[in-house]
Amino acid sequence: MDRRKIVAGNWKMNLDRAKARELAAAVAARAGEAAATELVLCPPAPYLDTVATALGSAGGSSPSGVALGAQNMHDKASGAFTGEVAAPMLLDVGCRYVILGHSERRTLFGETDKIVNAKAKAALAAGLMPIVCVGETLEEREGGRTEAVVTTQVNGSLAGLTASDLEKTVVAYEPVWAIGTGKVATPQQAQDVHALIRALLGKLASPTLAARVRIQYGGSVKPDNAADLASQPDIDGALVGGASLKADDFLGIAAAFGRHPA
Ligand code: 13P
């Protein structure tokens, strides 16, 4: 089981160019504080190039060791899709990762498992590693439907991916009720769903392969709750929203995960 912890910052639609450059430079300069953890920054699309330069990742590999990721992409490689961004373009500006199927995309922009699946295949075909998000709403959890909802999302979003595709894929479990609310899942609640996701990956490919796939938790992760989450056997990192906008907090979370090697 060689799952290096991975902590990604989803900046969402925040910051301006100067602040994006400043934050990326601060994380790059201090990445050594969380050297055991793989770090990924996912800025808004217009700032990908600026952040790539700040990370030194413009050519694809980053001397700072901090990887670049995008927050979304289209499933077609080019064409008449006004306003959209294609996987080869993301690769071209230095991205290694792309977040797909975030709950905000699913809820606010109508992304279905089928769309997320098409995007995941396109990302992998282009050479990007997808971070595929799943997670239940509060109503679904309270209705006892967490397992069913997450199972449908995982099976639908990852349908048809080969074992080699899955090995390059990161799954992010983000309970919708924990996103931006300050209400973090308990380590046990998160661990239970992570174990379920790993079992589903085992059925999609094999248990050996599933043991190699990294599963992040997302939803109100902060430096003061990261250690408890990191101590769980199936939590391999975090997808961080609000706290990723401060270098201290982001690196504090990443360092907490680095103290719990797989
Ligand atoms: P918060 O960390 O702000 O709750 O956001 C989580 C998230 O949506 C990351 O993708």
Side-chain angles (χ1 to χ4, degrees):
M1 210 172 64
D2 50 353
R3 302 195 302 264
R4 188 178 177 209
K5 297 283 159 73
I6 176 167
V7 171
N10 176 7
W11 294 358
K12 307 193 179 181
M13 199 171 71
N14 292 300
L15 306 179
D16 58 24
R17 188 148 83 114
K19 291 200 178 82
R21 185 188 291 120
E22 194 183 322
L23 179 55
V27 171
R30 296 172 51 192
E33 294 173 25
T37 305
E38 181 174 358
L39 301 178
V40 186
L41 298 183
C42 305
Y47 305 140
L48 283 168
D49 203 31
T50 298
V51 170
T53 304
L55 298 177
S57 64
S61 73
S62 151
S64 65
V66 182
L68 184 67
Q71 298 176 14
N72 181 34
M73 52 167 260
H74 195 269
D75 64 306
K76 299 291 184 298
S78 67
F81 300 101
T82 300
E84 293 294 322
V85 174
M89 297 172 184
L90 298 178
L91 206 69
D92 202 13
V93 294
C95 288
R96 293 191 65 208
Y97 289 93
V98 59
I99 300 170
L100 296 177
H102 189 280
S103 78
E104 287 146 21
R105 304 265 356 140
R106 290 176 184 266
T107 316
L108 304 171
F109 303 99
E111 286 195 13
T112 59
D113 290 331
K114 197 164 170 236
I115 292 172
V116 177
N117 184 237
K119 291 185 177 193
K121 286 176 177 160
L124 287 156
L128 288 170
M129 296 192 276
I131 298 176
V132 176
C133 304
V134 298
E136 81 288 358
T137 63
L138 185 59
E139 194 191 349
E140 288 162 345
R141 175 163 282 268
E142 289 179 342
R145 298 201 301 280
T146 299
E147 190 171 331
V149 167
V150 171
T151 299
T152 300
Q153 289 177 335
V154 168
N155 288 338
S157 304
L158 304 181
L161 267 59
T162 64
S164 126
D165 286 341
L166 287 170
E167 202 163 359
K168 295 179 202 106
T169 300
V170 176
V171 179
Y173 168 56
E174 298 206 305
V176 179
W177 48 271
I179 295 176
T181 58
K183 277 189 216 153
V184 64
T186 66
Q188 193 58 54
Q189 282 174 324
Q191 166 59 28
D192 288 349
V193 180
H194 282 232
L196 164 71
I197 293 170
R198 202 173 302 287
L200 294 168
L201 291 167
K203 286 187 201 145
L204 285 171
S206 70
T208 315
L209 186 282
R212 289 209 289 270
V213 177
R214 293 176 298 175
I215 307 173
Q216 296 175 313
Y217 167 81
S220 298
V221 180
K222 307 281 181 249
D224 63 3
N225 58 32
D228 283 346
L229 292 161
S231 69
Q232 298 299 313
D234 287 297
I235 303 184
D236 308 314
L239 183 54
V240 186
S244 73
L245 298 173
K246 290 192 180 136
D248 279 346
D249 288 356
F250 182 67
L251 290 162
I253 291 165
F257 275 91
R259 284 190 285 273
H260 290 272

